[in-house]
Amino acid sequence: MIQQPINFPARTDQTDRKTQSICFFFNAQIHHLLHAMPLALELSHDPRFRVDIIAAGADHIALARDLAARHGGGRLNFIHLDNIWLRTLSHLSGHASPPKLATLLAARHRLARYDAIVVPERTSLLLRRLGLADSRFIHTCHGAGDRAVGYDPRIALFDFVLLAGEKQRRRMLAQGLIREDHYAIAGYGKFDLTQGQRPASPFTDNRPIILYNPHFSPRLSSWPAMGMDVLRQFAADDRFNLIVAPHVRLFDNRRKRAAAERMLAEFAALPHIHVDLGSRASVDMSYVHLAAAYIGDVSSQIYEFIATPRPCLFLNGHRAQWREDPNYAHWHYGPVHESADRIPDKVAAAMAAHGMYDAAQRRGLSDTFTSGGAPASARAARAVADYLTRGAPAARPVPTPYKLREALRHG
């Protein structure tokens, strides 16, 4: 393990006695950093806390450092979990980061030193079974969508949960996932890192940019049944520029990504199509800011897109009965199609008819994200600091049984 701390002024003995140690632990794909780093940056300025960023992926540490440099991080330590075992497993798996369970096993003794561990995923709760009974676990969530996976029963096992808005509070209370004094509605910290962006366009003309953002789950995504058809039709159409930026997990494997890049090379070479299978731009809202319209299915990224209400449409590639299903509430923000036939025409129609959906988008936005007053990251930091300094011990709820395979699959 390689520890590379930033040099800060030495603390006094008086400060040390009051300091609590907090670890922001990233044990999943790189997009999770945008959901927890805003809180880490805020707490890094609070002398009551020592804040460490820990990840097994070198890309994660590099992005965390960049975010801290660009957004005014305070006293932060960046710790790269790196040993031959983890590197070998990462190479064999084909992923940028080693398998989650292996990382937990490698990190458990180091993580046991912290008063609190902040994670945007749920698999790390397995640390409680690995001996971390006294650390308090704080969950930031990683998106604010509608799918049932965002309301995972394991959320009830966290000591404190940060929520984006009323929608999450309402659904989590109804399902018994949160309890009084152990959660806070803080808003969506990712917006604090991405607002005011002026990303460079990958295109040289001014044609409207369409973002196609298929999900990774084969049971829910439009990609397996419709993805190539979408590309072929836009390739033959001269009205739009198309950005294809799937959820980062769709091709989160070197071999799968290389195969996809070969398959999509003919499209990526076209001047009006840009394919991105997992760069930073695919997770930091660069494309969301550039796009005039959105094609998707079930990704929570739709809520990042309609933060500025705009036309969108959805592809129902799995024939979902969605109209009364709260897991598809976002499908009321634009037309839903069960076929990708004539998809450029359908996009043009959705753009012309956006006024029909504008009010629904604004209602959904208000329900999903709290706003106003202090930035979300500042509200989150205040809530977490209040929780940690009031002296409440770790709740140590009794874990309910769940399959390890499901834990690793859903995060």
Side-chain angles (χ1 to χ4, degrees):
M1 290 180 287
I2 303 171
Q3 183 167 354
Q4 299 172 300
I6 293 179
N7 293 320
F8 294 109
R11 296 183 178 130
T12 66
D13 289 342
Q14 183 178 8
T15 301
D16 282 337
R17 282 198 296 270
K18 297 179 180 178
T19 300
Q20 293 191 53
S21 58
I22 304 177
C23 168
F24 285 74
F25 180 53
F26 296 102
N27 192 25
Q29 290 74 20
I30 198 166
H31 64 297
H32 283 202
L33 271 81
L34 280 296
H35 296 284
M37 279 300 296
L39 172 61
L41 297 178
E42 284 289 332
L43 289 176
S44 72
H45 295 283
D46 190 325
R48 294 173 293 177
F49 304 105
R50 189 191 81 237
V51 180
D52 292 351
I53 310 298
I54 298 183
D59 289 348
H60 295 61
I61 296 298
L63 177 55
R65 285 182 175 277
D66 286 352
L67 291 171
R70 282 191 279 127
H71 296 279
R75 303 195 299 185
L76 284 166
N77 295 317
F78 298 89
I79 302 169
H80 181 199
L81 291 172
D82 185 30
N83 61 40
I84 186 62
W85 181 50
L86 292 178
R87 288 199 300 272
T88 300
L89 288 173
S90 182
H91 176 75
L92 292 174
S93 71
H95 295 287
S97 300
K100 290 181 179 180
L101 184 55
T103 304
L104 293 178
L105 291 171
R108 66 190 188 280
H109 294 304
R110 176 180 287 275
L111 294 175
R113 308 172 188 175
Y114 291 94
D115 297 297
I117 299 171
V118 181
V119 291
E121 39 78 46
R122 277 82 68 177
T123 303
S124 293
L125 283 168
L126 290 170
L127 288 165
R128 279 217 167 103
R129 298 188 177 185
L130 297 175
L132 275 70
D134 295 324
S135 298
R136 283 175 280 188
F137 282 77
I138 297 170
H139 189 36
T140 67
C141 300
H142 56 274
D146 300 314
R147 291 192 310 126
V149 70
Y151 303 90
D152 188 317
R154 289 174 292 168
I155 293 174
L157 305 180
F158 282 91
D159 299 294
F160 197 79
V161 180
L162 290 166
L163 308 177
E166 176 61 25
K167 177 181 70 180
Q168 286 182 328
R169 187 194 74 86
R170 185 174 62 249
R171 288 185 65 172
M172 289 189 188
L173 280 176
Q175 296 176 42
L177 304 182
I178 54 177
R179 58 203 186 278
E180 199 63 35
D181 294 327
H182 290 266
Y183 75 89
I185 298 177
Y188 201 59
K190 185 175 180 179
F191 289 153
D192 296 348
L193 300 183
T194 56
Q195 64 183 359
Q197 283 187 167
R198 291 180 175 83
S201 173
F203 307 108
T204 59
D205 58 54
N206 293 320
R207 284 182 286 193
I209 295 173
I210 311 305
L211 172 61
Y212 177 38
N213 173 230
H215 199 255
F216 65 88
S217 169
R219 297 182 298 105
L220 302 171
S221 176
S222 59
W223 181 259
M226 302 180 182
M228 294 302 293
D229 197 19
V230 170
L231 266 76
R232 291 188 188 101
Q233 291 183 63
F234 276 98
D237 194 285
D238 63 1
R239 287 173 288 177
F240 304 105
N241 291 317
L242 177 70
I243 294 175
V244 182
H247 190 291
V248 69
R249 287 186 63 181
L250 183 59
F251 296 109
D252 181 41
N253 176 283
R254 286 188 291 272
R255 290 179 285 273
K256 286 183 179 179
R257 183 174 296 187
E261 287 172 347
R262 290 192 296 270
M263 180 178 68
L264 299 174
E266 62 177 292
F267 302 107
L270 297 174
H272 66 296
I273 293 183
H274 178 72
V275 178
D276 186 334
L277 303 184
S279 78
R280 285 189 188 180
S282 72
V283 301
D284 70 1
M285 291 183 60
S286 291
Y287 301 143
V288 165
H289 287 293
L290 287 170
Y294 175 97
I295 304 171
D297 34 56
V298 299
S299 175
S300 63
Q301 191 172 106
I302 182 59
Y303 283 100
E304 298 176 5
F305 182 78
I306 67 164
T308 301
R310 283 166 286 173
C312 54
L313 63 82
F314 305 97
L315 296 176
N316 185 3
H318 50 290
R319 300 296 188 268
Q321 302 300 309
W322 59 273
R323 292 189 179 278
E324 305 301 326
D325 188 339
N327 297 310
Y328 293 91
H330 53 290
W331 281 12
H332 293 278
Y333 305 153
V336 179
H337 298 284
E338 297 192 359
S339 166
D341 293 347
R342 300 177 60 197
I343 189 66
D345 290 339
K346 290 173 177 175
V347 169
M351 295 174 76
H354 172 61
M356 296 173 55
Y357 299 96
D358 183 79
Q361 288 187 8
R362 293 181 187 277
R363 286 194 299 272
L365 187 65
S366 176
D367 196 30
T368 299
F369 302 120
T370 187
S371 60
S377 53
R379 293 196 295 267
R382 184 165 57 246
V384 168
D386 288 348
Y387 170 71
L388 291 176
T389 56
R390 69 181 184 229
R396 297 184 216 141
V398 178
T400 54
Y402 60 90
K403 295 180 180 178
L404 179 59
R405 181 182 300 175
E406 291 299 307
L408 297 176
R409 177 185 302 161
H410 297 304

